Every structure is written in C-alpha cells, then in structure tokens.
Amino acid sequence: MSDVTVTETIWIPMPDGARLAARRWLPAGAENAPVPALLEYIPYRRRDRTRLRDEGMHPHLAANGYACLRVDMRGSGDSDGTKPDEYAEQETQDGADAIQWIAQQPWCDGNVGMFGKSWGAFTAFQVAALRPPALKAIVPVMGTDDRWLEDIHFCGGVLAGDNFWWGSIMQLLNAFPPDPAIVGHDRWRDMWKERLYAMTFWPAQWLRHQSRDATWRRGAISENYDAVDIPVFYIGGWADLYRNTPFRISQHLKGPVRVLMGPWAHLYPHEAKPRPRVDFVAETTRFWDRWLKGMRNGIDDEPPLRLWVQDSVAPAGFHDVRPGRWVEEPAWPSPNVSQQTLWLNAGTLDPEPRQGAEMSICSPQTFGLSGGDMCSFG
C-alpha cells in the first residue's frame, strides 16, 4: 500500500541485552504525528513461515492508522536466544518489555494493542496479566485461558495425539537457523548452534507432567482472572479446539469482553473454513478505534456476544460451508438460554418418556477412526 511504509527488520532491545527481530508497518505521517501500535508476537518466523498471512493483515491495519509490528519471539526467526518451552516466563516478560519499548518510540502515541492466533492468543492473555501500562486492549484469536483444561496436550486428563505432532512441528521450527542476511554472516552460525545444542524434545517434556501441576498453571489466566482487566475481543470457532474459553472469560473477566464465534476451524476468520468468513481487519479496527484511539463509535452499545448458530447437517469429513444464522447475546450466562430435558423415544425427542418400538443404533466400526485431532485446521 502506497500510504504505508514497511521496514523489513527493526531490533527491539531487551533489558538483558538480547534483541528481538520485528517487521514494521507505519501509516503515512506517523513519524511526525504518532499513532497507536499493534503487536503480534509469535515464534513462527516472520520472514518465511507466516509471511503471506502477515501480508493479509498488518498492511491493512496500518492503513487504518496503526503502527503494526510482527515480532519473532526469543529463540525464533532472527531473534536472539533459545526456546526452552512454550509460554516460558522469559517469553512473557519479553512481550511486556517489547510493549514498553514500542510505547516509547516517536511513531507511537503510547497506546499499544496486542493480537494473535493460537500461540499469539495465549501470549496476549499472559502479557496482559503482567499489566504493562501501555497495553490497553487485546484480541486473542483461538487460544485458551486454561492450559490444562483446554489445550492440545491433555484434555480432561487424557493425552491428546496432538501433543506429539504439534511438538514435532515445534522441534523442526526450533531447529531452523536465523537468516544470515539479517543477523550477519559472522553471527548466524553461532546463533544456529546455540539453538541446536539447547534443544529438548518438547513432547517428552510435556509427558512428564500428567496432572495439573505448575507447568500447566504457568500462563493460565484462569489461575487469576483478576489479573486481566483491560478490554478483550475474543474470536473463536466451533470447529476449533478452544470452544469454551470465550464463555469462561465472558463470565469471569472484570473488564469489557466481546466475543465473536463463527463456524471456523483453527484459522483467522477471514481465511478460515468452514464458511461464512468474517473480515478480521474490519471487525478488529472498530475495537482498536474504541480502546486505543478513544473513539465513541457505538461498539459499547452493541451486544457483547455474537455467535453463529449452526444448522444441522449430515456428518462429513469436510464442510466448505456450515449453514446457520448469527445471534447476539447481552451477557454470559445468557438470560435467553434455558435447560430442557428431552427423552429419546422411538423416532422422536419428546419432553416426556413414552413406550414405543424398540430402537437400535448400528454405527459402522470405522466411524471416527480419522477424527483424532483435537485442533482442526479445517
């Protein structure tokens, strides 16, 4: 976009001397008239792994008047250091320190928002719980408030198959080298060796913690909901793993909470399946305008929960579209929801039990054999 200036790499210094690599998008005139900033802070290599996805969001948010930064976490991409585990305390503190640094830059007016999907959603919650003063609002997309209750490792105490495949993907990403063109030809090999020698096999680490211990309580805002007191706009999907988090945070967080739940699997809503999709940039810009720019744009007067109620469809391995309708709720628990007991009678569901013909259920033995993923990408 002609009115947005892109800087491939800027360096964000940490208090211990490490540097985090970031790509930056600035709207026109931000150097002379500072604007709020938006931070996406994840370990997925901004120069290759998420390059196309970043292009679909950050330039458009910048064109709407926000300085946008896509930051590689410590130990990933071109940033210094190593990654000992997901959601380490150092990682969360780095996020808070990055926000402080961003807020002090001449192109930032001191107000920062944070967003991200999956890992980025976890981190947005975790950094918000540290309460950096410049962080004014967050948009977590498909992440959880409770790492033991609702994540890819264990579910209800049962080991998920995703623990292995997800950990194997991170094993690969953690082993990738930085780009010598960015970090320098004199440094990249030593940085790469440091990562390789520091690597552990994360799935094995996680298997050593088969109960709700300190490993899972770390970074779970459900341990102290009161720590997150800024506005939150949560975006989730019925085909995603993290289906219950938005309702828990709506009930327990003290600050303003908005929820958008579509039919989607584990992707941003503007690229997700099943359809219908939603314009992520447009939806979140209204939220950012309210809480980072102070605009009274009517968002406070709207129902805080907007949910896609899916029509019944025949089971299938893939749905391109899930028919249904949007509904809105004023709060959660909703005053519009009530419980009703129905009895499975012969061929019907009735409010009372009655005698009828004998029924049998004959599911094929192969049903569900390919349905083992906790976290579907659609």
Side-chain angles (χ1 to χ4, degrees):
M1 295 183 178
S2 59
D3 55 346
V4 173
T5 301
V6 185
T7 304
E8 183 62 32
T9 303
I10 65 170
W11 297 104
I12 301 179
M14 295 291 99
D16 65 356
R19 299 189 305 169
L20 304 185
R23 193 178 184 206
R24 185 188 64 186
W25 294 258
L26 284 185
E31 294 90 344
N32 299 316
V35 296
L38 301 177
L39 167 65
E40 186 181 17
Y41 173 60
I42 51 177
Y44 301 136
R45 300 178 60 89
R46 77 200 192 288
R47 280 179 52 79
D48 43 50
R49 183 73 169 77
T50 66
R51 188 77 171 192
L52 291 178
R53 189 180 81 180
D54 297 344
E55 292 288 349
M57 298 184 294
H58 290 275
H60 302 282
L61 289 165
N64 287 333
Y66 293 90
C68 292
L69 293 99
R70 213 335 240 115
V71 177
D72 284 337
M73 289 177 171
R74 187 186 294 245
S76 66
D78 300 311
S79 294
D80 292 342
T82 61
K83 294 196 70 60
D85 196 357
E86 58 179 7
Y87 319 125
E89 291 180 1
Q90 180 68 65
E91 172 187 306
T92 308
Q93 184 60 52
D94 284 349
D97 292 334
I99 287 170
Q100 180 179 352
W101 182 88
I102 292 168
Q104 295 170 348
Q105 301 312 298
W107 36 262
C108 179
D109 67 2
N111 298 299
V112 181
M114 192 172 182
F115 74 92
K117 181 183 74 72
S118 196
W119 196 312
F122 281 71
T123 306
F125 277 135
Q126 293 158 5
V127 173
L130 294 182
R131 296 184 174 179
L135 183 62
K136 299 300 194 286
I138 61 172
V139 178
V141 180
M142 301 183 185
T144 190
D145 60 334
D146 194 318
R147 296 184 56 214
W148 172 252
L149 188 63
E150 195 175 31
D151 200 8
I152 59 169
H153 307 295
F154 296 91
C155 186
V158 177
L159 177 66
D162 305 54
N163 187 78
F164 178 72
W165 72 253
W166 167 246
S168 299
I169 287 174
M170 287 310 302
Q171 188 84 3
L172 176 64
L173 290 178
N174 290 341
F176 279 7
D179 187 340
I182 301 299
V183 304
H185 291 269
D186 57 335
R187 294 187 66 232
W188 79 274
R189 188 182 301 273
D190 289 338
M191 291 176 65
W192 190 15
K193 286 182 178 180
E194 181 186 19
R195 293 180 187 181
L196 294 174
Y197 294 150
M199 283 177 62
T200 57
F201 188 49
W202 285 5
Q205 278 182 215
W206 298 327
L207 282 173
R208 298 189 186 103
H209 303 275
Q210 298 191 22
S211 62
R212 191 189 185 105
D213 62 11
T215 291
W216 310 115
R217 291 196 298 269
R218 183 188 74 232
I221 63 164
S222 59
E223 295 291 311
N224 180 17
Y225 284 116
D226 289 344
V228 179
D229 58 0
I230 58 176
V232 175
F233 182 9
Y234 186 96
I235 299 176
W238 299 123
D240 182 49
L241 163 61
Y242 307 110
R243 291 182 289 271
N244 296 315
T245 287
F247 303 101
R248 288 194 296 267
I249 64 172
S250 295
Q251 185 172 357
H252 294 296
L253 292 186
K254 300 300 189 292
V257 176
R258 297 186 63 80
V259 170
L260 175 65
M261 286 289 289
W264 312 302
H266 196 66
L267 292 165
Y268 275 104
H270 59 289
E271 59 186 11
K273 293 180 179 178
R275 293 178 292 158
R277 294 170 174 169
V278 164
D279 187 337
F280 175 76
V281 170
E283 289 286 340
T284 57
T285 294
R286 294 186 67 234
F287 177 78
W288 299 128
D289 284 350
R290 170 67 183 92
W291 296 110
L292 270 63
K293 293 183 178 179
M295 294 183 182
R296 294 289 179 174
N297 55 11
I299 199 171
D300 296 342
D301 302 323
E302 299 171 2
L305 288 92
R306 183 151 46 105
L307 316 169
W308 181 256
V309 176
Q310 302 181 122
D311 294 340
S312 177
V313 296
F318 171 77
H319 293 286
D320 184 56
V321 177
R322 279 302 303 263
R325 66 193 187 281
W326 290 107
V327 300
E328 295 177 327
E329 295 291 347
W332 196 264
S334 169
N336 301 319
V337 174
S338 60
Q339 291 190 356
Q340 183 179 9
T341 300
L342 298 174
W343 293 81
L344 179 58
N345 296 317
T348 63
L349 289 171
D350 298 313
E352 300 294 337
R354 58 182 172 81
Q355 296 295 322
E358 183 176 302
M359 294 184 295
S360 64
I361 297 174
C362 302
S363 295
Q365 292 297 301
T366 55
F367 183 80
L369 286 180
S370 298
D373 278 356
M374 293 287 292
C375 186
S376 167
F377 284 79

